[in-house]
Amino acid sequence: RRIIFNTGAAKGRRAGDGRWEVTLTTGETRTYDALFVANGHHWDPRYPDYPGEFSGHAMHAHAYRSPFDPVDLRGKNIVVMGMGNSAMDIASELSQKPIAKTLWVAARRGVWVLPKYMNGKVADKAAMPHWMPRKLGLRLAAKRIRKIVGNMEDYGLPKPDHEPLTAHPSVSGEFLTRAGCGDIKFKPNIAELMGDQVRFEDGSVETVDAVIYATGYKISFPFFDDPDLLPDAENRFPLFKRMMKPGIDNLFFMGLAQPLPTLVNFAEQQAKLAAALLTGAYVPPSPAEMEAVIAKDEALHMGHFYKSQRHTIQVDFGLYVHDLMKEIGRGQARARKAAA
């Protein structure tokens, strides 16, 4: 009786009393005491804008299902645009001998490709503990990565213009092997689309059957009209503890982060703060204090990344959860003081 199935949320707005009026796709409007936004950030594809037109098959990585769906890519000349995790997976799969005729990966810059396993364990297990000084941990991790994977140039890839872990990690167990064997070839960024050909920034021109844009996503909340509840033009959307807008205590953005290593557990930890607040066991700090914490947290979690729309919601999981639990404790103390 508490769940409505097969129904979308068309619009959400804050009423004068602070509660939320949610208009459903059925046309009905309901009022709620609190609103959780959990529509994710991997669903609204971001496409690059190149001059010219392409006459072959073009799609975003979001639409890719297999080498045969939504289009049969066997025997085709394919460009995968981007060097993030989706690009790594798609390029590794399509570059197998029975699939693509030729597979190029095109990108604006080189990246560090990390292995999925290190010392027989999933690389996620290698996350640094929260108590380790940030700069020291990054320096030690970068040194270890260089030792394990070597130079990207040795695999036929461009030399990265940044240090390991100063960008969201691109992780693959296959990509470097296929690149090193020549199954995956590299091109710089696309300069122009020319019918069935693509010109790249190095001046080279290739005949191409398909382009797959692994170019990331926009953070979008199509049900909000209030500009204060929308990201800016650079995909930035600062939040207190990556989940609350200062001054709005009944709106929670859940799982809106790129946590290293895990997202599901990340959202579970966030739910502890939200549950404590809704039951009166937690009181948030003042809006001014929340703004100060946001600035400090963003510098901590994202200060070492190069500027990119890809790096606006990065979070170190262990450090984040440690600080979140401390904040819940502080909020519980504020609640006890308010009740006294």
Side-chain angles (χ1 to χ4, degrees):
R1 69 182 185 279
R2 300 186 186 279
I3 301 175
I4 307 171
F5 293 103
N6 303 312
T7 305
K11 186 175 181 179
R13 62 176 295 273
R14 204 174 189 209
D17 62 0
R19 295 194 295 170
W20 292 93
E21 294 178 351
V22 178
T23 301
L24 308 179
T25 50
T26 60
E28 178 187 3
T29 297
R30 296 190 174 197
T31 302
Y32 296 93
D33 296 317
L35 181 64
F36 284 75
V37 176
N39 66 324
H41 55 279
H42 285 146
W43 66 271
D44 190 0
R46 183 170 61 240
Y47 288 89
D49 185 20
Y50 298 121
E53 293 185 1
F54 180 61
S55 61
H57 183 82
M59 64 177 168
H60 194 275
H62 191 66
Y64 178 87
R65 295 293 176 269
S66 78
F68 325 107
D69 182 14
V71 63
D72 191 342
L73 294 169
R74 287 174 294 183
K76 301 294 194 299
N77 293 322
I78 305 164
V79 173
V80 176
M81 183 66 217
M83 289 192 73
N85 288 295
S86 295
M88 300 279 132
D89 290 344
I90 292 171
S92 296
E93 183 168 82
L94 292 178
S95 64
Q96 296 178 64
K97 296 297 185 184
I99 309 298
K101 180 180 180 181
T102 310
L103 190 289
W104 297 280
V105 167
R108 292 173 297 174
R109 55 162 53 93
V111 302
W112 289 93
V113 182
L114 278 58
K116 284 193 173 183
Y117 288 84
M118 290 191 287
N119 296 329
K121 295 182 179 180
V122 179
D124 291 350
K125 298 287 187 180
M128 67 186 78
H130 68 82
W131 46 261
M132 180 174 288
R134 190 74 169 156
K135 289 184 178 180
L136 174 62
L138 289 171
R139 189 164 64 248
L140 292 175
K143 183 177 180 180
R144 187 181 182 199
I145 289 168
R146 286 179 180 276
K147 182 178 180 180
I148 291 173
V149 302
N151 298 318
M152 295 296 99
E153 311 93 278
D154 294 339
Y155 299 91
L157 301 175
K159 182 178 181 179
D161 61 1
H162 57 279
E163 292 297 309
L165 302 180
T166 60
H168 185 76
S170 294
V171 180
S172 175
E174 291 186 71
F175 186 85
L176 290 180
T177 298
R178 296 202 174 278
C181 293
D183 296 338
I184 295 173
K185 305 178 189 303
F186 183 82
K187 290 284 187 179
N189 195 17
I190 292 174
E192 183 181 5
L193 303 172
M194 306 184 302
D196 65 348
Q197 293 185 318
V198 173
R199 182 169 62 85
F200 299 91
E201 290 185 345
D202 62 356
S204 62
V205 176
E206 302 289 352
T207 299
V208 175
D209 300 301
V211 176
I212 301 173
Y213 295 108
T215 46
Y217 297 85
K218 294 176 283 186
I219 298 174
S220 300
F221 312 117
F223 34 79
F224 285 150
D225 294 329
D226 186 346
D228 288 338
L229 300 180
L230 299 173
D232 64 18
E234 296 183 346
N235 224 33
R236 284 178 47 81
F237 193 60
L239 295 169
F240 176 72
K241 295 306 170 188
R242 199 94 290 286
M243 62 186 298
M244 295 177 66
K245 291 288 288 185
I248 307 178
D249 295 345
N250 61 349
L251 174 64
F252 307 95
F253 294 87
M254 307 300 290
L256 187 62
Q258 290 275 27
L260 300 175
T262 171
L263 181 64
V264 175
N265 195 3
F266 175 85
E268 180 180 354
Q269 303 309 313
Q270 287 186 316
K272 295 177 181 179
L273 185 147
L277 191 155
L278 293 175
T279 56
Y282 170 89
V283 171
S286 69
E289 290 178 277
M290 292 174 85
E291 294 284 4
V293 171
I294 290 173
K296 182 180 177 181
D297 282 354
E298 293 221 329
L300 176 65
H301 290 287
M302 293 179 281
H304 58 288
F305 288 100
Y306 65 76
K307 188 177 181 180
S308 168
Q309 291 188 358
R310 190 185 184 200
H311 298 146
T312 60
I313 54 174
Q314 297 291 139
V315 169
D316 180 286
F317 176 81
L319 191 58
Y320 173 87
V321 173
H322 175 74
D323 289 347
L324 184 71
M325 295 304 109
K326 289 172 65 176
E327 171 54 32
I328 291 175
R330 288 190 291 266
Q332 289 172 336
R334 288 191 291 266
R336 290 192 295 269
K337 184 177 180 180

